[in-house]
Amino acid sequence: MGKGTDKLYITHSEWSSGDQFSASAGANVRSSDPNAASFKRLPFNFCALSLQPFKQPVCTADGTVFDYGSILSWLKDKGTNPTNGQPLNLSDLIKLHFAKNDDGEHVDPVTYKALTDNTHITAIRHGDSANVFAHETIERLNIKPKNWRDLVSDEEFSRRDLITLQDPQNLASRDLSVFSHVREQISGKVQQDSFAGVNPGTTESSAKVLKAKEAIARSRAEREREGGVIVNRNQSTVQVPQKSVSTSKGATSVKRTPYNAARYTTGQAAASFTSTGLTPHTSAERALLSDEEYMLQSRRVKHKGYATLRTSHGNVNLELYPDFAPRAVWNFTRLAQRGYYRDIAFHRNIRNFMIQGGDPTGTGRGGESVWGKPFADELEGPLVFDARGVLAMANKGKNSNSSQFFITYRTAKHLDRKHTIFGKVVDSEDVQSEETLRRLEGVQTDDKDRPTEECVLRDVVVFVDPFEEFLKERSEKEREEMKQEEIRRQGGAEDERTTWTGKRLRVDGSLEAGSGDGGGVGKYLEAALARRGAQGGDGDEMAEEIVEWDSALEPVKKKPKRGGFGNFDNW
């Protein structure tokens, strides 16, 4: 274990010596290696010349990646490889084809795994272009089964056509400190005139980036040594950085949950986990409901709706209850607004029981909901058949509601919890609904309870749509919240930004310039003095009174307390 000995351990000096090698080596190893402190790794999606993310990636035969716009201006002036100084022509560049997911991340085109700085990335060359894969994919699907065809273009290739763009086991190829153009610019060997005609964003940005990073590291180390105190060099002041949840580096801002967020997630994380054909998702985001799905929740919409049935025997006013039966009210109002109930006969009328309609065929076996399929019953709530004029959905069994509805002529307790109640008949100043309902009940029928006289529903007019009222109220509330948020962002309202002393505050909490001038009690005394001078009074007398009033009064001397028996001199 030890160096040159049979010991089963190493000493501290051996562990920290200069020839020690491991991930947990001592401090002397770091200090003895001149390149260890200056090692900076270039990300795989960065150009080796501009040190910025590439837009049109190209590479050389040895796997050095450049941005086409950056390397083009360099080759026109230099004609060399900026990383090693070797001759390089424009024809030697190979165009790279990266696959991306929906989030814009570079992924493997077969497994859709995101490529990171720790991924072994390999390109398959076909002439002057190449397709980029994760090396694991090529190893498992091409090299091991000896399938020498490109998995994307189905072109043949050989092992010589494989170009390694990034190897996590070989970090020297991505080390910025060994790049020729970076070393020259940092050491100052490159003269400014030699870069005439070359894009400064591609030649000078590398040195600027490195210098900026080193300056940030030095300032951060100074702050840590000074205990978090930042000294302003221009002013003789010391500022202690305030801890803020929103501005601190380690803090995460709390994402506001949308008002229409569902109680379940989108399911994309689970779907992408079990399927390689989907883009990977790692966050359990809550699904967003549409306006219809959000409003059709029970007890969501509190506004009552109002509609009128225009029949051949008069009008009947209806009051709708979307808080207990939102789906039934939505179905009824949307069908009415489409004209679905126009000129439909009441196909069933039973005296002292109910009248039923809403079937365009007039047979009692037709009708369709607004969704094109039957919808579920809504039986939760306090609504029961306890009076005349109750409006409910007709069905042919459990959860089979469509477009047909009925109005009762009396109480019907046997229908409770079997039919969805979504409204009732109400009177108004203009419409006597009860009188119309009495005339409809008196219509003659045959032995199958079908009216023999004319008994037609002319139309259904919706006067107050509860869902539109809800959306209008929601939009007004959102505008008010945005307005209040803007006021808070600007430092609060006018009265909130003024203190009790009359001073105005900025957004950051400091006083505005000139807001404290003339403040305090003195401004009232000066105003009184000015008024007396304007009235011809003696200003000196007033000033004398002010001085005497402001002068400090001598405190009253307290008498010493005498307690006990005192002395006995007089005895």
Side-chain angles (χ1 to χ4, degrees):
M1 184 71 179
K3 296 180 180 180
T5 64
D6 56 352
K7 295 182 298 183
L8 298 180
Y9 62 90
I10 61 175
T11 63
H12 179 270
S13 59
E14 291 175 341
W15 173 77
S16 61
S17 60
D19 57 348
Q20 180 64 259
F21 60 93
S22 70
S24 59
N28 292 336
V29 179
R30 304 288 185 265
S31 59
S32 62
D33 187 4
N35 294 326
S38 61
F39 174 77
K40 294 178 178 61
R41 183 176 181 179
L42 181 69
F44 79 95
N45 60 337
F46 275 54
C47 172
L49 176 58
S50 64
L51 307 185
Q52 301 296 325
F54 53 67
K55 297 180 180 178
Q56 295 177 325
V58 294
C59 73
T60 60
D62 59 353
T64 306
V65 182
F66 302 99
D67 183 76
Y68 182 75
S70 302
I71 193 62
L72 180 62
S73 59
W74 176 278
L75 293 179
K76 287 181 180 179
D77 183 75
K78 295 294 183 181
T80 59
N81 190 329
T83 59
N84 53 22
Q86 299 296 326
L88 181 66
N89 298 323
L90 189 61
S91 58
D92 298 334
L93 299 178
I94 304 170
K95 185 178 181 181
L96 298 177
H97 298 287
F98 279 88
K100 291 186 178 182
N101 57 12
D102 297 338
D103 298 331
E105 299 175 334
H106 297 287
V107 296
D108 182 272
V110 177
T111 62
Y112 284 92
K113 290 183 179 180
L115 303 180
T116 65
D117 294 336
N118 299 319
T119 306
H120 192 170
I121 304 175
T122 304
I124 300 178
R125 180 177 181 178
H126 303 289
D128 59 349
S129 64
N131 296 325
V132 181
F133 299 86
H135 185 76
E136 179 186 7
T137 302
I138 299 177
E139 182 73 22
R140 294 175 57 186
L141 302 181
N142 291 113
I143 298 178
K144 285 187 177 181
K146 298 182 179 180
N147 176 28
W148 300 101
R149 283 190 170 275
D150 194 308
L151 299 174
V152 174
S153 61
D154 200 30
E155 299 181 42
E156 293 186 359
F157 68 95
S158 62
R159 192 181 292 270
R160 296 190 303 271
D161 297 325
L162 298 179
I163 302 175
T164 300
L165 303 181
Q166 177 179 262
D167 186 1
Q169 305 300 326
N170 182 20
L171 299 180
S173 61
R174 312 291 297 178
D175 187 5
L176 295 177
S177 60
V178 301
F179 287 177
S180 176
H181 69 102
V182 175
R183 285 179 173 271
E184 291 176 356
Q185 293 182 36
I186 294 179
S187 61
K189 294 182 180 180
V190 179
Q191 302 296 330
Q192 294 295 332
D193 55 357
S194 64
F195 289 98
V198 183
N199 185 3
T202 61
T203 58
E204 299 177 1
S205 61
S206 57
K208 290 180 180 180
V209 170
L210 292 178
K211 291 180 180 179
K213 289 183 177 179
E214 292 175 358
I216 293 174
R218 286 195 301 269
S219 63
R220 187 173 299 159
E222 291 178 1
R223 281 201 306 270
E224 291 177 356
R225 286 195 300 269
E226 296 174 3
V229 178
I230 303 174
V231 180
N232 194 341
R233 306 300 180 186
N234 299 327
Q235 303 175 0
S236 59
T237 58
V238 179
Q239 300 176 358
V240 180
Q242 299 179 356
K243 295 183 180 180
S244 175
V245 178
S246 60
T247 59
S248 60
K249 182 177 179 182
T252 56
S253 58
V254 180
K255 187 177 181 181
R256 186 175 181 180
T257 304
Y259 74 92
N260 58 341
R263 296 183 179 179
Y264 50 87
T265 63
T266 57
Q268 293 180 349
S272 61
F273 179 75
T274 57
S275 175
T276 59
L278 298 178
T279 302
H281 291 270
T282 57
S283 61
E285 299 178 356
R286 296 174 63 177
L288 297 181
L289 302 176
S290 62
D291 289 340
E292 178 181 344
E293 294 173 338
Y294 178 73
M295 291 187 296
L296 295 187
Q297 301 292 329
S298 180
R299 291 178 171 82
R300 179 84 69 188
V301 180
K302 302 295 184 179
H303 302 274
K304 294 181 179 180
Y306 293 93
T308 296
L309 302 181
R310 296 181 177 176
T311 69
S312 57
H313 291 75
N315 296 337
V316 178
N317 286 344
L318 301 177
E319 186 178 67
L320 308 178
Y321 303 129
D323 49 345
F324 301 116
R327 290 185 175 274
V329 175
W330 177 275
N331 176 73
F332 182 78
T333 54
R334 294 302 173 268
L335 291 179
Q337 292 171 353
R338 293 181 184 180
Y340 189 86
Y341 292 124
R342 193 167 297 163
D343 297 328
I344 295 178
F346 289 100
H347 60 273
R348 191 180 183 192
N349 188 15
I350 303 176
R351 183 174 298 179
N352 201 27
F353 181 36
M354 63 89 185
I355 183 171
Q356 183 175 340
D359 180 12
T361 63
T363 61
R365 294 186 294 270
E368 189 178 51
S369 69
V370 71
W371 299 284
K373 58 182 180 180
F375 61 94
D377 296 328
E378 296 168 301
L379 306 178
E380 299 293 333
L383 302 180
V384 291
F385 293 90
D386 58 349
R388 177 183 173 90
V390 176
L391 176 65
M393 295 298 299
N395 57 41
K396 52 186 177 182
K398 185 179 180 180
N399 299 330
S400 60
N401 301 289
S402 57
S403 64
Q404 297 187 34
F405 60 91
F406 65 92
I407 301 174
T408 60
Y409 291 140
R410 64 174 180 86
T411 59
K413 291 293 184 180
H414 62 285
L415 300 180
D416 290 346
R417 311 304 174 193
K418 295 181 180 178
H419 293 267
T420 300
I421 301 175
F422 64 97
K424 70 175 182 178
V425 176
V426 293
D427 289 329
S428 65
E429 297 180 357
D430 301 333
V431 178
Q432 298 297 325
S433 302
E434 182 61 32
E435 182 64 22
T436 304
L437 200 63
R438 186 183 59 79
R439 288 196 294 267
L440 290 173
E441 186 179 6
V443 174
Q444 298 296 323
T445 60
D446 56 12
D447 55 350
K448 295 183 180 180
D449 300 323
R450 297 180 62 87
T452 56
E453 303 176 8
E454 183 183 19
C455 188
V456 179
L457 175 61
R458 303 297 186 191
D459 196 6
V460 177
V461 180
V462 180
F463 290 106
V464 178
D465 190 342
F467 303 102
E468 292 182 359
E469 295 295 326
F470 178 81
L471 292 177
K472 187 184 301 182
E473 182 179 338
R474 167 64 62 178
S475 61
E476 292 177 357
K477 184 178 180 181
E478 290 179 352
R479 284 195 297 268
E480 183 64 24
E481 290 178 353
M482 293 176 61
K483 182 179 179 181
Q484 295 298 330
E485 184 66 24
E486 182 67 18
I487 293 175
R488 285 194 297 268
R489 190 178 63 84
Q490 294 179 358
E494 190 69 22
D495 55 346
E496 295 175 352
R497 295 175 58 185
T498 305
T499 64
W500 66 274
T501 59
K503 299 179 181 180
R504 289 174 53 83
L505 300 177
R506 295 192 183 98
V507 178
D508 57 355
S510 61
L511 292 176
E512 290 188 359
S515 64
D517 298 341
V521 181
K523 66 178 183 180
Y524 301 106
L525 300 178
E526 293 175 0
L529 188 61
R531 286 196 302 269
R532 174 164 294 192
Q535 296 174 1
D538 190 357
D540 296 336
E541 182 182 353
M542 182 65 184
E544 185 178 355
E545 292 178 1
I546 294 175
V547 172
E548 291 179 358
W549 182 77
D550 287 339
S551 60
L553 299 177
E554 294 183 0
V556 179
K557 294 183 179 181
K558 296 183 178 180
K559 295 181 179 181
K561 294 183 179 180
R562 295 181 179 180
F565 297 101
N567 54 26
F568 299 91
D569 295 340
N570 297 328
W571 281 37

